[in-house]
Amino acid sequence: LISSVDPKFLNLTKVDDRIYGEFRKTFRDLKIDVLDPEELKSEPAKEKWRPFCLRFEGVVEDFNYGTLLRLDCRKDYTDENTIFG
């Protein structure tokens, strides 16, 4: 599905635009093309991520589930390029 639809037109939930808007307000300077694990897993990062995720409790089913992320979006999923977030 993800590879057959232009991502500009792909919505996984009814609140995707809200989630992205809140994400960009909270994490204005976060680079998303190449992720720094410290910006996801350090204690200061967790202090920002927890409240962000909790905003969607009751709005998004499984709002607090983790997912596999590629650290560098230009590379494939490999042990070295994958983090659980």
Side-chain angles (χ1 to χ4, degrees), residues 9-53:
F9 305 109
L10 181 64
N11 287 313
L12 301 177
T13 74
K14 295 176 184 176
V15 291
D16 284 0
D17 292 335
R18 177 178 163 201
I19 294 169
Y20 185 71
E22 292 289 325
F23 170 76
R24 275 297 164 210
K25 280 187 217 172
T26 305
F27 302 99
R28 282 186 175 90
D29 300 323
L30 181 66
K31 287 181 55 183
I32 59 172
D33 57 341
V34 180
L35 294 171
D36 176 357
E38 282 298 303
E39 293 189 50
L40 301 173
K41 299 233 175 185
S42 69
E43 283 307 313
K46 288 178 183 179
E47 289 177 18
K48 288 181 84 172
W49 281 105
R50 278 187 199 106
F52 172 78
C53 291

Side-chain angles (χ1 to χ4, degrees), residues 1-7 10 12:
L1 176 66
I2 290 175
S3 62
S4 64
V5 176
D6 186 331
L10 181 64
L12 301 177

